[in-house]
Amino acid sequence: MMPMFETKVRLLMMPPEQFVPFYIESIGYNPFQETVIRRDGYPFHHWLQTVSGEGKIIIEGSAFSLPPNHGIMLPPNVPHQYYCLGDSWSTYYLMIDGPQISPFMSILDIQFSTVYSWPEGTEPENLIGQMLESSLLSQDVTGLDNSIDVYRFLVQLKKHGTTVNTSTTQSLAVRLQPLVKYLDIEYRNPDLGMTEMSDRLNISPRHLNSLFKETFGYTPYQYLINLRIQKSKEMLTSERKTPIQHIAASSGFRDASHFIATFRKLEHMTPDQYRQTFVK
């Protein structure tokens, strides 16, 4: 793969001026990828892809190698670190979010914390570079072109990408699917805990915790909290006049103060600030 840039490039995108299903928070190319350690993860969905050389990424104790034509999608707020193997490592990266990003990725079955590869010469090879070049030249302030780019990237990853050495992970994901579907319906219940979740699969809470972390890279409780926040973000943008305390209750939080504190921790802004930013 020949990179489209000779020097380090990072573009931090402006928040879209109108409602869009997905958007790019930042996008970039790093010809000499340095070591990155994020103990609290990154607040957005994070795609990391090798251009040349090779790197290693560690996600909550699981290590993955990233040679050329390989990439990985990291979920929000999950601790991770990555570093160069050998003399040098160059990368593309893409940070994305939006009220429909999680449902769309679920429809496409884009898996988190799983290495993808693709044949040389197919579109994923340099698609991030094309998106970065287009974003640098674009005068679009609506966020629509940005949203189209995210859609195109995810579809091309689904079309050409193949998961690497994930037969065990995939079988675990199938086993956990009934719980994932259950949480998508029952996330509003503030009394939902590890006991209720493990009972769905007739296994112990400790065993569930281990299976979930091995499959998704984070615990069932972290998944539930992230799901509740994602659902609240959808309501904040689609139900513009609904009071925050009602959003909190509808998202599964016991009270507004807990909701606001959790939202601020994960999104680095309050629910009101999020609504003002993304609803015009």
Side-chain angles (χ1 to χ4, degrees):
M1 181 195 314
M2 292 297 294
M4 305 180 71
F5 305 91
E6 296 182 356
T7 60
K8 185 175 183 177
V9 181
R10 181 174 187 266
L11 183 59
L12 184 63
M13 310 292 274
M14 294 294 292
E17 291 191 348
Q18 64 185 62
F19 176 86
V20 292
F22 342 99
Y23 62 89
I24 299 173
E25 185 266 346
S26 59
I27 183 173
Y29 166 70
N30 194 339
F32 301 102
Q33 179 63 62
E34 66 277 8
T35 297
V36 172
I37 300 175
R38 295 191 177 101
R39 292 181 174 84
D40 296 320
Y42 197 81
F44 299 93
H45 298 77
H46 176 191
W47 170 258
L48 179 68
Q49 169 182 334
T50 293
V51 179
S52 63
E54 185 171 356
K56 175 161 285 190
I57 182 166
I58 300 175
I59 309 169
E60 293 194 325
S62 297
F64 305 91
S65 295
L66 292 179
N69 287 337
H70 286 67
I72 191 168
M73 181 71 75
L74 305 179
N77 307 303
V78 172
H80 61 266
Q81 59 180 297
Y82 46 87
Y83 54 89
C84 174
L85 292 176
D87 296 330
S88 66
W89 181 33
S90 62
T91 62
Y92 283 131
Y93 57 88
L94 179 68
M95 315 301 193
I96 53 180
D97 200 20
Q100 296 302 316
I101 191 69
S102 292
F104 188 62
M105 290 178 65
S106 177
I107 290 171
L108 294 180
D109 193 29
I110 301 296
Q111 298 180 35
F112 289 118
S113 305
T114 298
V115 175
Y116 280 84
S117 68
W118 48 89
E120 186 175 354
T122 55
E123 190 156 7
E125 184 174 10
N126 208 34
L127 183 55
I128 302 297
Q130 295 169 8
M131 292 165 58
L132 179 56
E133 184 176 49
S134 175
S135 297
L136 287 168
L137 298 174
S138 176
Q139 300 297 315
D140 175 53
V141 296
T142 64
L144 294 176
D145 290 344
N146 182 317
S147 188
I148 291 171
D149 280 344
V150 174
Y151 176 90
R152 179 185 173 197
F153 166 73
L154 293 174
V155 169
Q156 291 300 324
L157 179 61
K158 174 63 176 180
K159 181 178 179 181
H160 297 286
T162 302
T163 54
V164 178
N165 296 328
T166 58
S167 58
T168 300
T169 300
Q170 288 176 336
S171 65
L172 290 176
V174 170
R175 183 177 180 184
L176 292 172
Q177 196 59 34
L179 174 60
V180 172
K181 291 181 178 179
Y182 171 75
L183 294 178
D184 199 51
I185 297 172
E186 296 295 327
Y187 69 90
R188 299 178 181 86
N189 179 7
D191 295 323
L192 186 59
M194 284 297 296
T195 300
E196 290 75 19
M197 287 190 271
S198 59
D199 284 348
R200 298 296 300 182
L201 300 179
N202 294 315
I203 59 178
S204 70
R206 183 176 180 179
H207 189 196
L208 173 61
N209 221 41
S210 176
L211 289 180
F212 218 93
K213 289 186 69 174
E214 183 177 352
T215 306
F216 299 110
Y218 44 88
T219 67
Y221 182 73
Q222 288 172 323
Y223 177 88
L224 177 60
I225 294 300
N226 286 332
L227 177 63
R228 286 170 171 167
I229 292 298
Q230 186 62 45
K231 296 294 186 180
S232 75
K233 288 162 66 176
E234 294 173 14
M235 287 184 276
L236 286 166
T237 53
S238 63
E239 303 175 21
R240 305 183 182 189
K241 297 185 182 298
T242 301
I244 294 299
Q245 58 266 34
H246 292 173
I247 298 274
S250 298
S251 303
F253 291 90
R254 293 190 182 280
D255 53 65
S257 61
H258 183 208
F259 168 55
I260 293 170
T262 304
F263 196 100
R264 187 199 297 272
K265 179 180 179 181
L266 297 183
E267 300 297 326
H268 303 284
M269 65 177 74
T270 67
D272 269 331
Q273 289 170 333
Y274 181 89
R275 175 178 268 167
Q276 293 168 13
T277 300
F278 295 105
V279 176
K280 302 295 183 181

